[in-house]
Amino acid sequence: MSTATIEAVCPECDAAVRFDRSPLNGQVARCADCGAELEVTSLSPLTLELAPEVEEDWGE
Amino acid sequence: MRIALTYTRLRVEERLLLDAFAAIGVEAVPVDLREAVFDLDSPGDWAGYDMVVDRSVSLTSSLTSVRILEGHGIRCMNPARAIEACSDKLMTSIALARAGVAQPRVLVGTSAESGLAAVEGIGYPAVLKPTVGSWGRLVARVNDRDAAEAVIEHRDTLGSVGQGVFYVQEHIDKPGRDIRVFVVGGEPIAAIARASAHWVTNTARGAKASGLEVTEELGGLCRRAAAAVGADVVAVDVLECPRRGYLVNELNHSMEFRNSIDTTGVDIPGRVARHAVRVAEAARSGEAVSA
């Protein structure tokens, strides 16, 4: 596992989104600049997309 | 030992669980259910796992995968019957009633007319809940007949087929908070109180959590609730009724716990991981570990 800071670009505001450890596919993250909820959709290259809104069958 | 942790969205909880497995030297492989294709005739790669820890946020994916994998003889945590019993409030109430676990009174109708009659039978205020749903969504408190007629007409006209079941619950005049107890392997390991000025005391809706001691009375009730639905790991939501004492309100089969670890001082993911290993070892040796 890498200890270096890993960065990707927020698709909403173009700010850098930093991960302090290697992200996993499907991981959710929040952009510190604009607050958008994001999802890791690719690891190579590291790509973020806006996470889907809550869907009807989601829950605990 | 090799465990699959299935998910549709990798939240903080799933990462904490993966870390907890790593900390005890167990290989836990995150598997994205959105990419999985299941073969009913063959387990394929799934045969390489000693068990599956289901953490899907999507109930559809959760139930579909667990039902199929159990069909292949793979132990899943939670089992399908527990997910079925927890995810549908009517199924939960039936299981609790059969086990004699105290809960708010529930009346059910399957038409707009019988739904309204159910509300009138409960009296005002009454709580109308969709049988499937989470985080307090579409839960409605109705204070009079006008409100009841409006909510029922909206559900009847605009809702999906599932909204046609009118699940009406007695409103409990709780003391501005409810209680959540985390039960792992039949043991109540931690509890929080969730306080809110709003009658829906759900942290997803802004309620504030604080740690709470699990008394014998509270722990015993939650142990019996978890057993009633057959869950290995479950969060039991409890209401404090001024007249009847503790009542089980809901059970959550895929509980969120990120904000309850520091609050309670209990290593919830660590306890879940260790219980999963016990379940997997028992599954491998053909024994049963009671949920």
Side-chain angles (χ1 to χ4, degrees), chain B residues 107-156:
Chain B
L107 294 179
V108 177
T110 55
S111 69
E113 293 75 19
S114 60
L116 185 60
V119 174
E120 295 270 306
I122 289 287
Y124 299 101
V127 180
L128 268 156
K129 293 182 170 182
T131 52
V132 177
S134 202
W135 302 317
R137 281 172 295 161
L138 295 180
V139 172
R141 179 170 71 180
V142 291
N143 294 330
D144 55 36
R145 188 180 171 100
D146 285 349
E149 285 176 349
V151 170
I152 287 171
E153 187 184 357
H154 277 78
R155 291 219 175 135
D156 199 39

Side-chain angles (χ1 to χ4, degrees), chain A residues 25 27 39 57-58 60, chain B residues 7 15 34 60 137 180:
Chain A
N25 207 35
Q27 184 172 328
E39 180 176 337
D57 75 332
W58 285 15
E60 284 187 88
Chain B
Y7 69 95
R15 286 222 73 148
R34 295 170 299 182
T60 310
R137 281 172 295 161
R180 168 165 286 199

